[in-house]
């Protein structure tokens, strides 16, 4: 979503992207959001929200269509406690995403810069107490730590994996939870073959879905590793990338 649908520069969906998605919808294409954000923080897709058929959220940990939950895969409690303990010991901020609520644990200036300024998440409340959230099933943990700190933390989490779509933080989910498996869950529920799907992405957490989709498209602003596994590289988000990809793969006469 961020960097694919939504510009990091304007925090808006380019009009060309909206127009292309409207046209795809008119041709019978189903539209799904796939994002590292938990659903309460999806605050920037108003231009196409009415066109969305379903969601893969929290990097695949929580997938749903309408009111129907397709997949909900929590992190083991022991691993949640380990990350919270590390946040206390190493003094870093960590977003804790529960099944119903979320909290920013040990919020600091770095977390505020990333989520409020860079990602424009103004509805993120930083004064939510952590205890009620920890009584829920935890779907994702987002520690604000550099890559080397992540590499020291992850061996301690036996039931988890991580992905990173921005240099300053990691998204931790349960093992085998990723956008690619989220796509398979949604597709199976909707009666869609995996080879009939198309996915667009720009970050490290898009690697699994780009590989899994029938057509995997990397944005022009994607990292080089993602471009290497994509079937096609389109223009950057701010240069009508989604429009050009859909023009090539959806609108072009066969």
């Amino acid at each position: 979503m961020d960097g694919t649908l939504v510009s990091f520069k304007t925090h808006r969906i380019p009009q060309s992207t909206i127009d292309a998605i409207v046209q795809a919808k008119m041709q019978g294409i189903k539209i799904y959001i796939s994002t590292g954000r938990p659903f309460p923080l999806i605050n920037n897709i108003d231009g196409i929200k009415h066109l969305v058929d379903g969601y893969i959220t929290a990097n695949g940990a929580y997938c749903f269509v309408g009111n129907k939950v397709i997949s909900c895969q929590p992190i083991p409690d022991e691993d949640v406690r380990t990350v919270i303990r590390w946040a206390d010991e190493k003094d870093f901020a960590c977003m804790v995403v529960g099944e119903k609520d979320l909290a920013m644990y040990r919020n600091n200036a770095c977390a505020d810069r990333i989520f409020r300024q860079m990602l424009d998440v103004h509805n993120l409340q930083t004064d939510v107490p952590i205890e009620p959230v920890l009584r829920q099933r935890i779907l994702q943990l987002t520690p604000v730590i550099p890559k080397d700190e992540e590499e020291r933390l992850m061996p301690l989490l036996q039931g988890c994996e991580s992905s990173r779509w921005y240099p300053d933080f990691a998204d931790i989910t349960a093992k085998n939870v990723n956008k690619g498996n989220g796509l398979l869950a949604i597709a199976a529920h909707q009666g869609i073959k995996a080879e009939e799907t198309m996915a667009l992405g720009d970050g490290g957490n898009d690697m699994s879905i780009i590989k899994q989709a029938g057509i995997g498209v990397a944005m022009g602003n994607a990292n080089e590793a993602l471009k290497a596994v994509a079937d096609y590289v389109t223009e950057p988000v701010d240069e009508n990338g989604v429009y050009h990809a859909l023009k090539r793969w959806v609108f072009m006469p066969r």
Side-chain angles (χ1 to χ4, degrees), residues 112-138:
D112 190 75
R113 173 183 59 80
I114 293 168
F115 292 104
R116 291 187 184 277
Q117 298 178 38
M118 193 274 288
L119 294 178
D120 199 39
V121 183
H122 293 296
N123 61 330
L124 175 60
Q125 300 179 9
T126 57
D127 57 352
V128 176
I130 190 69
E131 290 78 12
V133 180
L134 289 175
R135 288 195 287 269
Q136 303 171 22
R137 294 194 293 178
I138 302 303

Side-chain angles (χ1 to χ4, degrees), residues 22-113:
V22 168
Q23 185 176 344
K25 190 77 173 183
M26 291 174 63
Q27 293 185 204
I29 303 297
K30 291 186 178 295
I31 307 297
Y32 299 90
I33 294 294
S34 175
T35 180
R37 294 193 187 210
F39 183 70
L41 298 188
I42 299 177
N43 64 338
N44 52 3
I45 62 167
D46 288 347
I48 63 164
K49 191 173 183 179
H50 62 294
L51 304 173
V52 175
D53 293 288
Y55 292 83
I56 299 169
T57 70
N59 286 305
Y62 194 79
C63 306
F64 61 95
V65 174
N67 295 322
K68 174 68 173 179
V69 177
I70 308 304
S71 178
C72 179
Q73 302 185 64
I75 296 172
D77 291 342
E78 181 179 352
D79 289 341
V80 173
R81 291 193 293 270
T82 297
V83 174
I84 294 299
R85 184 177 69 251
W86 261 58
D88 290 333
E89 293 176 358
K90 308 294 185 179
D91 191 25
F92 59 76
C94 182
M95 185 186 297
V96 181
V97 179
E99 192 170 356
K100 296 180 179 179
D101 306 297
L102 59 85
M104 180 60 78
Y105 185 60
R106 301 186 66 88
N107 187 55
N108 57 29
C110 182
D112 190 75
R113 173 183 59 80

Side-chain angles (χ1 to χ4, degrees), residues 216-254:
V217 177
M219 304 299 290
N221 49 282
N223 61 57
E224 294 304 314
L226 190 68
K227 291 178 180 178
V229 301
D231 298 299
Y232 177 69
V233 179
T234 188
E235 281 74 16
V237 60
D238 292 301
E239 297 175 24
N240 308 316
V242 172
Y243 165 78
H244 286 293
L246 293 185
K247 181 180 178 181
R248 176 182 177 89
W249 294 103
V250 178
F251 307 147
M252 180 183 292
R254 297 292 177 181

Side-chain angles (χ1 to χ4, degrees), residues 1-8 165 201-202 219 221-222 236-237:
M1 192 176 74
D2 298 285
T4 299
L5 275 178
V6 180
S7 167
F8 282 120
W165 58 273
D202 72 298
M219 304 299 290
N221 49 282
V237 60

Side-chain angles (χ1 to χ4, degrees), residues 180 183-184 187-188 191-199 211-215:
L183 179 147
L184 292 179
I192 302 169
K193 297 178 181 178
E195 56 265 31
E196 297 173 329
T197 65
M198 175 178 176
K211 289 180 176 180
Q212 190 66 66
I215 300 172

